[in-house]
Amino acid sequence: MEEMPFSDISYKCFLNQEKLMGSKCKKCDALYLPPRPICIKCHSTEMEWFEMKGNGKLSAFTCIAIGPPFMIAEGFNRKNPYCLGVVELEEGVRIDARIQGVDANRPEGIKVGMPLSARFLHRGGEGTVRTFLAFEPL
């Protein structure tokens, strides 16, 4: 893996490449997503990049009807809410992300434990494209 600092900037660069990268402690094998430069379990600074498979299950979720401006610009509002969730990946780490492919108007149909797979959402125009992590039901 190329030499990149364990930072949110590097994490976003990997997302732009459609890679879900975390950090792994070389001493105790602890995994972190988003990546960390220091292991909180053994306090080691010997970290390496680790690519997550992107498969997991829904641990918790909420449906949001009043969002930030960039979500409103995508058409989300009181009549068209969106879903955010906590996803536990197969590797054991958890990450917050948008949950696509579910009906946020009917949260009773969204089930904790449902299997999910990572998707990379590209938003913006030429020269200003940003990539966001999302998950969809398998």
Side-chain angles (χ1 to χ4, degrees):
M1 187 63 39
E2 60 189 82
E3 197 72 30
M4 292 180 75
F6 298 100
S7 68
D8 59 338
I9 294 170
S10 297
Y11 174 71
K12 290 176 184 178
C13 286
F14 282 121
L15 285 182
N16 287 335
Q17 298 170 27
E18 297 195 359
K19 291 182 179 181
L20 185 54
M21 300 297 290
S23 57
K24 180 179 180 180
C25 178
K26 291 182 181 181
K27 284 193 172 182
C28 72
D29 291 332
L31 293 173
Y32 299 98
L33 185 65
R36 298 176 164 266
I38 299 171
C39 178
I40 60 172
K41 292 185 180 178
C42 74
H43 308 291
S44 173
T45 57
E46 295 181 41
M47 306 296 280
E48 63 185 347
W49 285 104
F50 184 85
E51 186 169 5
M52 308 289 172
K53 294 177 186 172
N55 296 319
K57 62 182 178 180
L58 188 63
S59 293
F61 71 94
T62 187
C63 297
I64 300 173
I66 301 174
F70 75 94
M71 294 298 289
I72 293 169
E74 287 188 34
F76 295 103
N77 55 41
R78 290 180 190 264
K79 293 182 181 179
N80 185 31
Y82 63 96
C83 182
L84 287 180
V86 178
V87 179
E88 182 175 343
L89 297 177
E90 290 175 350
E91 293 85 358
V93 296
R94 290 181 178 202
I95 186 78
D96 300 338
R98 191 184 316 184
I99 309 300
Q100 298 279 105
V102 296
D103 186 354
N105 279 311
R106 297 177 35 117
E108 65 276 8
I110 304 169
K111 302 295 181 198
V112 168
M114 65 192 290
L116 301 169
S117 183
R119 296 291 176 260
F120 300 92
L121 307 177
H122 304 285
R123 300 290 188 258
E126 190 173 318
T128 61
V129 175
R130 294 175 54 195
T131 304
F132 297 93
L133 178 63
F135 284 83
E136 289 181 340
L138 287 176

